[in-house]
Amino acid sequence: MRSDTIKQGLERTPHRALLKGTGVPDSAFEKPFIGVATSFTDLIPGHSGMRDLERFIEKGVHSGGGYSFFFGIPGVCDGIAMGHKGMHYSLPTRELIADMVESVAEAHRLDGLVLLTNCDKITPGMLMAAARLNIPCIIVTAGPMMSGRSLSGRKYSFVTDTFEAMARYKAGVIDDKELKICEDNACPGMGSCQGLFTANTMAILTETMGMSLPRCGTALAVSALKRRIAFASGEKIVELVKNDVKPRDIMTRAAFENAIRVDLALGGSSNTVLHLLAIAREAGVDLPLETFDILAKDTPQLASMNPAGEYFMEDLDVAGGVSGVLKQLGDKIKDAPTLFGLTTHQLAESIANVDEEVIRPLSNPIKKEGGIAILTGNLAPKGAVVKQSGVSAAMMLFEGTARCFDAEEKAMAAIMEGKITSGDVVVIRYEGPKGGPGMREMLAPTAAIMGMGLGDSVALVTDGRFSGGTRGPCIGHISPEAAEGGPIALVEEGDRILLDIPNRRLELLVDDATLAARRAAWKAPEAKIRTGWLARYAKLVTSAHTGAVTTAD
């Protein structure tokens, strides 16, 4: 065992003494040492219930014949970090999380890991660490929140009933009382936000890739089922250690393609593009950005999920969950191994019935193409991402007038003050991985556009990114970003921009000579943040089209 390095032989007497100082008994030195990386925090509803799941993981590890050690991993709530300086830190924490898990597992020579996670950047960070370390690992996602309910029986969702409610209130559509009802009911308890936002999309894709147990991706945070999954995951990690089943045995090219197809079929978060690219890099899997678009054209959207659609995570879970989606996708899913033994085809065959109101068959899709599209053109030579499942038919082809803002706050003020009108294209730049730094999510301005009734007449383009809760004609991840001198830095107020999603084009309608003159005059702005670790991050981070990873290259 890896852990023999710190527990066997005369030379390890000091090591054993220190371990015994934590309470480890002699009998444990013959057992696998299992690390449980937990992102518990009181700050995030998606993580506040993890103390309970930790108990069941611990019981499972010891029942399976291992000895568990807990260590903490930080978590940032994107919803709380939204719209202020805090959002600069969200995406960069993904790299910190991977580095921290690697550091503890390597320094203490742990034999295997249970990675307890839930929210947006924590789950991909954990998966990056698993792929990088390539020691036996299993993921436990803590589960989605129940939908909120009012006395009238209406269902509430965090994003559409808080962020968009702000704009509806500003526009006079709702009053103080209704705004307060939204605030009080949108988040009824523990769990990740109820719709198919980034946290839940990543939980589903983790299960799809075979890195968590069946139904882990959809079982509610408050359910006894989630406790049983936590216990079974604790038992399973000991078995994985004994059988030497490693993450790269599971996270193959086929597994990533299956994850992309499930994402497309459900209309999941556009952030998964960044995360899957980053995880694949750690796993040594070649996964070019264009893979998403190739598969999107051959993968229909089968479910209408909140925020752009009708159903919540609780509906998807009882409709068949991930296994139900695999069953409906049929031969489009490649047969791949999972860490719990069944292949993806066997898992799909194990489902007797699927609720086809929630997860439609291939013969009756919501849309003919999957939920994410990759755009290119002279405004995004290396690519841009749009969640086309959230775009209305009226905005799939759109030409508008550029309204340029060099920071999210400036754009948000203009939207809320009524300065953005029908026919505009809001351009928010210098918010990319380097320029932000940290590639902030733009949920506040996109929600404001939707809430003020401009979703069918105004588009937004940015080198930043969007929340999984974003809907509407919002194009992000524009590469190269403005801070690197990408074409988005050259857009001027009043320019015309063409959005053509069916043909995957994003064009700045300005002639080459004019753009060349603008480029010659362009100067890189001063960094927004020049101290602390974000200053170092900005120097190391790569472009969005490569997953916005940090590298010393």
Side-chain angles (χ1 to χ4, degrees):
M1 291 184 285
R2 272 170 48 100
S3 59
D4 286 348
T5 305
I6 63 169
K7 66 187 184 185
Q8 297 297 329
L10 173 65
E11 297 84 356
R12 300 311 178 205
T13 300
H15 303 67
R16 290 192 296 273
L18 287 167
L19 289 164
K20 287 181 178 180
T22 71
V24 176
D26 281 325
S27 60
F29 289 102
E30 302 301 322
K31 299 178 180 180
F33 277 11
I34 305 299
V36 183
T38 172
S39 52
F40 164 78
T41 172
D42 287 325
L43 284 166
I44 310 175
H47 295 240
S48 62
M50 286 183 176
R51 284 288 180 250
D52 183 59
L53 296 180
E54 289 171 2
R55 292 175 56 233
F56 283 86
I57 291 170
E58 184 175 37
K59 290 177 182 179
V61 170
H62 288 271
S63 295
Y67 194 89
S68 62
F69 298 87
F70 286 78
F71 61 96
I73 295 298
V76 166
C77 176
D78 281 19
I80 295 173
M82 195 77 63
H84 56 83
K85 183 180 179 180
M87 183 47 73
H88 289 290
Y89 289 86
S90 176
L91 181 61
T93 63
R94 185 188 70 179
E95 316 307 306
L96 282 183
I97 289 161
D99 293 348
M100 291 179 71
V101 173
E102 174 195 358
S103 298
V104 174
E106 293 285 43
H108 296 90
R109 309 309 294 161
L110 298 171
D111 296 303
L113 296 170
V114 180
L115 303 168
L116 179 58
T117 174
N118 212 23
C119 287
D120 295 23
K121 311 308 169 296
I122 301 103
T123 300
M126 297 281 205
L127 283 164
M128 289 168 67
R132 183 187 302 173
L133 287 163
N134 201 33
I135 63 174
C137 294
I138 190 168
I139 310 292
V140 179
T141 47
M145 186 187 297
M146 295 185 296
S147 60
R149 300 294 175 95
S150 68
L151 293 176
S152 64
R154 174 186 166 184
K155 283 187 176 182
Y156 284 88
S157 164
F158 166 65
V159 173
T160 52
D161 292 303
T162 55
F163 279 92
E164 291 184 17
M166 290 189 300
R168 291 198 298 273
Y169 177 82
K170 184 77 173 179
V173 176
I174 62 175
D175 58 16
D176 290 316
K177 180 179 179 181
E178 188 167 351
L179 185 66
K180 185 65 161 58
I181 291 172
C182 290
E183 180 181 319
D184 291 346
N185 290 281
C187 295
M190 67 184 70
S192 49
C193 303
Q194 307 98 326
L196 199 60
F197 312 132
T198 305
N200 290 327
T201 307
M202 283 306 306
I204 285 170
L205 302 194
T206 300
E207 182 182 335
T208 301
M209 287 193 290
M211 287 298 295
S212 62
L213 295 183
R215 288 191 68 187
C216 189
T218 56
L220 292 178
V222 297
S223 65
L225 174 59
K226 183 62 74 174
R227 285 179 161 189
R228 294 195 293 271
I229 289 171
F231 179 87
S233 298
E235 283 191 311
K236 177 60 70 172
I237 188 60
V238 182
E239 178 185 325
L240 295 175
V241 169
K242 291 177 179 178
N243 294 331
D244 197 29
V245 178
K246 298 175 180 176
R248 293 191 188 185
D249 300 329
I250 305 301
M251 288 194 283
T252 61
R253 170 68 188 228
F256 280 99
E257 288 191 16
N258 288 343
I260 293 170
R261 284 202 187 268
V262 168
D263 191 1
L264 294 166
L266 292 173
S269 167
S270 60
N271 281 316
T272 56
V273 176
L274 283 177
H275 299 324
L276 288 177
L277 291 174
I279 298 162
R281 179 178 180 273
E282 296 288 358
V285 172
D286 182 31
L287 191 70
L289 178 63
E290 55 265 27
T291 307
F292 290 82
D293 207 55
I294 293 168
L295 296 178
K297 293 174 181 177
D298 185 48
T299 308
Q301 183 185 340
L302 302 181
S304 175
M305 297 293 297
N306 179 276
E310 177 181 0
Y311 296 107
F312 292 77
M313 287 296 293
E314 60 202 48
D315 303 312
L316 180 64
D317 183 50
V318 298
V322 170
S323 299
V325 180
L326 296 177
K327 185 178 183 71
Q328 298 296 67
L329 285 170
D331 291 339
K332 292 186 182 295
I333 292 296
K334 292 184 176 180
D335 201 23
T338 67
L339 54 73
F340 47 86
L342 297 177
T343 68
T344 48
H345 283 182
Q346 289 171 332
L347 191 59
E349 291 166 3
S350 71
I351 298 296
N353 297 298
V354 176
D355 183 345
E356 296 193 340
E357 289 293 318
V358 179
I359 312 170
R360 294 191 184 185
L362 289 171
S363 59
N364 182 32
I366 302 288
K367 294 182 179 179
K368 293 181 180 180
E369 291 188 351
I372 291 173
I374 306 301
L375 312 180
T376 56
N378 70 345
L379 189 53
K382 293 186 178 180
V385 178
V386 62
K387 185 176 177 178
Q388 64 174 342
S389 59
V391 181
S392 69
M395 293 298 289
M396 295 293 282
L397 178 63
F398 177 75
E399 183 180 326
T401 302
R403 303 293 308 280
C404 300
F405 304 93
D406 289 351
E408 177 191 1
E409 291 83 356
K410 295 177 181 179
M412 186 64 179
I415 295 167
M416 296 302 284
E417 292 167 9
K419 295 179 180 178
I420 301 301
T421 58
S422 179
D424 286 344
V425 178
V426 177
V427 178
I428 305 179
R429 58 197 176 190
Y430 298 104
E431 292 287 7
K434 290 183 183 292
M439 204 179 182
R440 290 195 290 176
E441 285 187 350
M442 303 293 164
L443 177 57
T446 61
I449 287 170
M450 295 301 294
M452 298 185 81
L454 297 172
D456 283 341
S457 61
V458 170
L460 188 151
V461 298
T462 181
D463 53 6
R465 61 193 177 89
F466 299 116
S467 161
T470 292
R471 58 194 180 104
C474 303
I475 298 88
H477 305 203
I478 288 180
S479 298
E481 62 175 290
E484 293 184 325
I488 191 173
L490 310 180
V491 182
E492 294 186 357
E493 192 84 3
D495 286 348
R496 301 291 288 177
I497 293 175
L498 174 66
L499 168 63
D500 184 354
I501 296 176
N503 291 307
R504 305 299 200 254
R505 304 300 294 170
L506 182 63
E507 301 284 349
L508 176 60
L509 303 180
V510 175
D511 64 81
D512 291 343
T514 301
L515 288 178
R518 292 180 185 178
R519 182 173 298 283
W522 178 80
K523 294 182 180 179
E526 288 189 4
K528 294 178 183 177
I529 296 177
R530 295 186 288 277
T531 60
W533 84 276
L534 285 184
R536 299 194 301 274
Y537 172 85
K539 293 177 181 178
L540 298 174
V541 69
T542 66
S543 175
H545 77 281
T546 61
V549 298
T550 53
T551 174
D553 298 340

